[in-house]
Amino acid sequence: MDWINLVVEMAMPVVLAIVTLLVGLAVIKVLVNIISKQIYKSKLDESLKPFIMSVISIGLKLLLVVSVVGILGIPTASFVAILGSFGLALGLAFQGSLSNLAGGVLLLTMRPFKVGDYIEGAGYSGTVKAIQILYTELVTPDNKMIYVPNGNMSNSGIVNYSVHDTRRVDFTFGVGYEADNQHVLDTLKQIVLKHPKVLLDPEPFVRLSGHGDSAVEYTVRAWTKADDYWDVHFDLLEEVKTTFDKESISIPYPQMAIHTVND
């Protein structure tokens, strides 16, 4: 019966470790939910909240693994040393992931953008939904989710369209050479100034800016609130076309003059 006692003695730590693991995972899930609710209710920056929750979840699970290893009778110090060596080897194998981790820390430290900002970076654009440990989540205007590695994001140029309250809408319109210059300028100024979402300070800019091959070019620059940018952009485009037609101001097609010489 000694072998039965031996099996029981060996099985007990294994069973206890399994129970501890299962109960521990359940407890961690509950704790993470409770902490998550408190963090998301707090006044912490929205960009930090997902990152902090990821770190807490991973940290608690690592502690649970160390506890389970201790229950199995494996010396904790030795396990930590082995875990460190394994982590080093794993780090060398997954240098990209470590780069993403460092990129996430850099983004949260330098804070070139925050949750809710509309940005361009690493070849993608969208509204920032969350900054995770390894990835930044972007939501595109057509509601697609993009997961951009933090390493790529932190090492690329980032354009943040949400930093300032106002933005400038820029246009270049081509007009036929036969059109009266002052008439065109007055018409464009009237179109811009009558739009209710165009700001008068800074004053809108309307000037002749170039002589093209087929058209005289006019530059229009108008300031508006950042939230109204696309409304102003499309409204002015439509209004210019409509008004030019009414005022008989032509928008010419590209033209090429060909001269033939008869021998």
Side-chain angles (χ1 to χ4, degrees):
M1 303 296 281
D2 291 340
W3 65 272
I4 296 178
N5 293 331
L6 181 61
V7 170
V8 171
E9 290 178 2
M10 294 177 62
M12 285 299 294
V14 175
V15 173
L16 183 59
I18 293 174
V19 172
T20 302
L21 180 63
L22 296 176
V23 173
L25 289 174
V27 171
I28 287 174
K29 185 176 181 180
V30 173
L31 285 175
V32 167
N33 287 335
I34 294 174
I35 296 172
S36 176
K37 291 179 181 178
Q38 295 302 317
I39 287 180
Y40 279 96
K41 288 180 181 178
S42 69
K43 296 181 179 179
L44 282 173
D45 191 288
E46 292 296 327
S47 305
L48 291 172
K49 293 176 181 179
F51 191 88
I52 291 174
M53 289 310 306
S54 298
V55 171
I56 290 175
S57 178
I58 292 173
L60 289 174
K61 289 176 182 176
L62 285 176
L63 289 176
L64 176 61
V65 170
V66 172
S67 300
V68 170
V69 168
I71 293 173
L72 291 173
I74 301 173
T76 305
S78 300
F79 175 75
V80 171
I82 294 172
L83 189 64
S85 301
F86 177 74
L88 178 60
L90 199 63
L92 292 174
F94 294 95
Q95 294 182 31
S97 296
L98 291 179
S99 173
N100 292 334
L101 176 61
V105 174
L106 184 62
L107 291 174
L108 289 171
T109 302
M110 303 302 295
R111 299 183 65 184
F113 55 82
K114 63 182 184 298
V115 172
D117 286 352
Y118 187 87
I119 67 169
E120 285 183 11
Y124 300 96
S125 61
T127 302
V128 180
K129 181 180 180 181
I131 305 173
Q132 303 290 357
I133 288 181
L134 301 179
Y135 295 92
T136 294
E137 299 176 6
L138 299 180
V139 181
T140 63
D142 56 348
N143 207 32
K144 290 185 292 190
M145 181 70 76
I146 301 176
Y147 298 90
V148 184
N150 287 333
N152 294 352
M153 184 68 77
S154 62
N155 289 321
S156 67
I158 298 172
V159 180
N160 191 333
Y161 292 99
S162 303
V163 172
H164 301 294
D165 294 332
T166 59
R167 287 183 63 186
R168 194 179 72 187
V169 190
D170 294 347
F171 300 97
T172 298
F173 297 106
V175 174
Y177 273 93
E178 72 281 358
D180 179 74
N181 177 57
Q182 192 59 49
H183 182 211
V184 176
L185 289 172
D186 292 341
T187 301
L188 288 172
K189 289 178 183 177
Q190 181 181 3
I191 293 171
V192 173
L193 292 174
K194 76 176 183 180
H195 196 289
K197 293 182 180 179
V198 169
L199 301 177
L200 300 182
D201 185 18
E203 184 180 356
F205 175 92
V206 180
R207 294 296 296 272
L208 189 156
S209 57
H211 299 129
D213 294 335
S214 305
V216 180
E217 297 174 353
Y218 291 84
T219 294
V220 176
R221 297 170 182 165
W223 288 89
T224 185
K225 293 182 179 179
D227 292 339
D228 297 329
Y229 178 88
W230 289 112
D231 288 339
V232 172
H233 176 86
F234 291 117
D235 287 351
L236 291 182
L237 280 178
E238 293 174 0
E239 187 61 29
V240 165
K241 178 63 171 69
T242 302
T243 305
F244 275 16
D245 289 344
K246 291 180 180 178
E247 298 293 328
S248 299
I249 299 174
S250 64
I251 302 176
Y253 294 100
Q255 302 175 15
M256 180 181 296
I258 300 176
H259 300 275
T260 60
V261 178
N262 296 323
D263 294 332

